[in-house]
Amino acid sequence: MAESYRGATSTLAGAVVRADRVVDGFVFGQCTVGGSDATPSVIELFDRLDRPDVRYVLLAGIAPAWYNLLDLHAIAEAVDRPVLSVSFEDSEGLEPALRDAFDGETLARRLETYRDQPPRRVVDLDGETVYVRAVGCSGSEADRIVRAFTPEGGRPEPLRVARAAARAAAAFRREL
């Protein structure tokens, strides 16, 4: 799942990409920019796909749509599959940015969700580096999954395809 946003909503796209890198399906949805509906939106996307053959859920990052945080544990429990969040930049974490953007109960809820997520692991991909959080599988299995779905460059193919689809869908929506 990846996203593209402009305005009040973010376009979400899920792409089914087989291990042989054949694209085998898409699903689209949305979540609120700055909201708290990204987790149920991702679960809804998965449910709408209705694909029991999907073995892993890969997510682009953990904070789509301006800190609309994903709860990887809740997603993994709902879809009953390993969930991997892949980010592409080194950082000290989201807490400082969350504190700058929110306060009060809104900040407290986001910090609780953020702190409950597994730590990021560094995964090297042929000279590129990604950062992976995984629920429902071991760290070594997460590394293997990310490498298996990254034929070249530093972005796993399901996330590359989903990002392109989300951008195209968002552009189409703007033209309507």
Side-chain angles (χ1 to χ4, degrees), residues 1-14 27-45 48 59-71 75 110 166 170 173:
M1 189 280 313
E3 56 111 16
S4 176
Y5 78 89
R6 181 174 286 164
T9 60
S10 178
T11 301
L12 304 177
V27 64
F28 297 93
Q30 65 183 23
C31 67
T32 308
V33 173
S36 59
D37 59 347
T39 296
S41 294
V42 167
I43 294 167
E44 179 189 354
L45 287 178
R48 285 192 7 246
L59 303 168
I62 195 167
W66 196 67
Y67 308 120
N68 192 336
L69 293 175
L70 295 169
D71 182 340
I75 295 169
R110 279 177 167 76
R173 286 178 54 202

Side-chain angles (χ1 to χ4, degrees), residues 94-116:
L94 292 178
E95 284 200 36
L98 291 171
R99 289 182 187 287
D100 286 344
F102 303 99
D103 59 17
E105 185 59 32
T106 302
L107 173 62
R109 281 193 310 272
R110 279 177 167 76
L111 287 175
E112 181 179 357
T113 299
Y114 178 67
R115 290 174 179 157
D116 190 41

Side-chain angles (χ1 to χ4, degrees), residues 87-93 120 122 129-131:
S87 55
F88 307 98
E89 297 177 15
D90 190 15
S91 77
E92 295 298 317
R120 298 190 326 163
V122 174
T129 301
V130 296
Y131 305 87

Side-chain angles (χ1 to χ4, degrees), residues 18-60:
R18 299 185 334 206
D20 62 2
R21 299 188 215 9
V22 171
V23 177
D24 197 25
F26 290 100
V27 64
F28 297 93
Q30 65 183 23
C31 67
T32 308
V33 173
S36 59
D37 59 347
T39 296
S41 294
V42 167
I43 294 167
E44 179 189 354
L45 287 178
F46 185 86
D47 290 344
R48 285 192 7 246
L49 264 177
D50 194 27
R51 294 288 302 261
D53 57 324
V54 169
R55 294 183 58 202
Y56 312 105
V57 175
L58 277 69
L59 303 168

Side-chain angles (χ1 to χ4, degrees), residues 76-91:
E77 183 176 328
V79 304
D80 194 29
R81 283 157 185 74
V83 173
L84 289 74
S85 169
V86 181
S87 55
F88 307 98
E89 297 177 15
D90 190 15
S91 77

